[in-house]
Amino acid sequence: MGFLIPFFVFLFFTQGNALSLNYYEKTCPNVEDTITKVVTDAVKKDKTVPAALLRMHFHDCFLRGCDASVLLNSKGKNTAEKDGPPNKSLHAFYVIDDAKKAVEALCPGVVSCADILALAARDAVVLTGGPNWEVPKGRKDGRISKASETIQMPFPTFNISQLQQSFSQRGLSLDDVAALSGGHTLGFSHCASFQNRIHNFNATHDIDPTMHPSFAASLRSICPSKNKAKNAGTSMDPSSTTFDNTYYKLVLQGKGLFSSDQALLTTPKTKDLVSKFASSKETFYKAFTNSMIKMSSITGGQEIRKDCRVVN
């Protein structure tokens, strides 16, 4: 089931919420096994679930901390995060609903949706061959979710200084940028996320010159123009249902899909990390695990939701 990484970071304090490894030891001892079973069953039926859960967790943590605000439905005049432009392609929310139902049957009102999402994202990585790690728990669920705030997400068109700024606002470093980008080893991307590199790149080049020519040609055949390719796209890497270090090998070959992927080669620090991760899966797994623990420990909620889609 992948590597078990030693746990380096034990306790985080953000906005007064303390997280710990044994948070549910007395109140809901079987919570992790219960969630893992739900995620495992979902993955057996749909191979796109792991990438969806990992991305969902990332998109949740990057706005108001990991508070499950991405799970809330729009209501009345409020358009929620999940209906903001960067989140329209998020899916597999039903997996979190199913896990919440199973956990509520076990220990009602105890486990937050935010913790369920953090644990499900870890399971998604493990079930696709990636590393295993201990997830700190004790997050609370947030009550605010605004589509307008999704503009704060890091975009696939970002250069390295934009990525660095976006991550540093959340207490994350360039090392974290390089390691968390490895999550792009899973999943699928629509043309809209990389159109900027293959059509009208700039005044001089139609195609991004840092892109491998044959790779660019294959993408242009999938996404011939901005208008015709609404639902078209491509897998993030050829082994897109396996969590591995292929992503970094591709970036070194000029075959990273997004501007933000290729941007990792534009500073000595991140370029060095890309090379290290490309040559050693174990090195990547350790770094990814540490960065996931760091990111998932940004907290910000206030309650334990009964239903992950609505506030109490």
Side-chain angles (χ1 to χ4, degrees):
M1 287 284 273
F3 295 78
L4 185 66
I5 302 292
F7 188 83
F8 300 117
V9 193
F10 178 62
L11 209 57
F12 276 84
F13 294 92
T14 318
Q15 299 184 12
N17 282 358
L19 304 184
S20 72
L21 296 182
N22 56 0
Y23 192 83
Y24 297 114
E25 195 170 51
K26 293 187 171 67
T27 54
C28 197
N30 296 320
V31 60
E32 297 205 32
D33 290 345
T34 304
I35 294 166
T36 300
K37 184 183 184 309
V38 172
V39 177
T40 305
D41 290 347
V43 172
K44 280 178 188 161
K45 294 182 187 129
D46 182 356
K47 294 285 182 256
T48 71
V49 161
L53 293 175
L54 185 58
R55 188 163 171 251
M56 196 187 294
H57 180 47
F58 185 90
H59 283 225
D60 182 39
C61 295
F62 252 70
L63 289 189
R64 293 178 159 266
C66 314
D67 68 344
S69 52
V70 76
L71 306 177
L72 288 170
N73 286 342
S74 296
K75 187 182 178 187
K77 289 182 177 173
N78 182 60
T79 309
E81 284 171 32
K82 64 163 66 162
D83 294 317
N87 290 339
K88 286 251 168 96
S89 58
L90 291 179
H91 68 101
F93 290 103
Y94 72 91
V95 181
I96 304 302
D97 292 335
D98 291 349
K100 177 67 171 170
K101 275 190 201 115
V103 171
E104 283 296 304
L106 203 63
C107 28
V110 171
V111 182
S112 66
C113 299
D115 275 349
I116 291 171
L117 181 50
L119 289 161
R122 186 273 313 273
D123 291 342
V125 172
V126 176
L127 289 165
T128 48
N132 197 353
W133 66 93
E134 291 269 24
V135 176
K137 294 162 287 284
R139 294 164 193 79
K140 297 283 194 291
D141 298 324
R143 298 177 55 81
I144 298 166
S145 183
K146 294 178 183 294
S148 57
E149 293 181 359
T150 60
I151 194 77
Q152 299 167 25
M153 290 294 302
F155 280 78
T157 52
F158 272 11
N159 62 33
I160 199 70
S161 61
Q162 290 169 310
L163 286 171
Q164 185 171 17
Q165 185 185 11
S166 176
F167 276 64
S168 68
Q169 284 167 354
R170 291 148 180 95
L172 300 169
S173 65
L174 265 181
D175 295 64
D176 299 315
V177 173
L180 291 170
S181 294
H184 288 168
T185 185
L186 293 178
F188 175 92
S189 170
H190 290 98
C191 295
S193 297
F194 54 86
Q195 284 281 13
N196 66 304
R197 303 187 71 202
I198 56 172
H199 299 291
N200 312 315
F201 177 67
N202 61 21
T204 324
H205 300 96
D206 192 32
I207 295 171
D208 182 345
T210 65
M211 201 175 233
H212 192 287
S214 68
F215 182 56
S218 73
L219 293 180
R220 276 170 72 107
S221 69
I222 296 163
C223 311
S225 75
K226 290 194 175 178
N227 304 325
K228 290 180 185 169
K230 192 148 192 186
N231 294 312
T234 185
S235 55
M236 295 299 295
D237 80 21
S239 57
S240 64
T241 55
T242 304
F243 194 95
D244 56 24
N245 62 338
T246 305
Y247 164 83
Y248 296 102
K249 297 173 186 176
L250 293 170
V251 168
L252 290 175
Q253 294 165 26
K255 294 177 181 176
L257 200 52
F258 301 153
S259 296
S260 62
D261 296 325
Q262 219 51 49
L264 296 177
L265 300 186
T266 59
T267 71
K269 184 178 189 59
T270 49
K271 187 177 184 179
D272 179 53
L273 287 168
V274 169
S275 298
K276 281 180 176 158
F277 297 159
S279 60
S280 167
K281 194 158 71 168
E282 288 78 6
T283 303
F284 163 48
Y285 282 3
K286 273 185 190 162
F288 181 80
T289 298
N290 285 338
S291 293
M292 280 295 286
I293 292 164
K294 200 169 158 187
M295 180 193 77
S296 79
S297 299
I298 309 167
T299 59
Q302 301 82 34
E303 65 182 22
I304 307 290
R305 261 182 242 148
K306 294 184 186 74
D307 176 338
C308 292
R309 291 173 182 260
V310 292
V311 297
N312 290 346

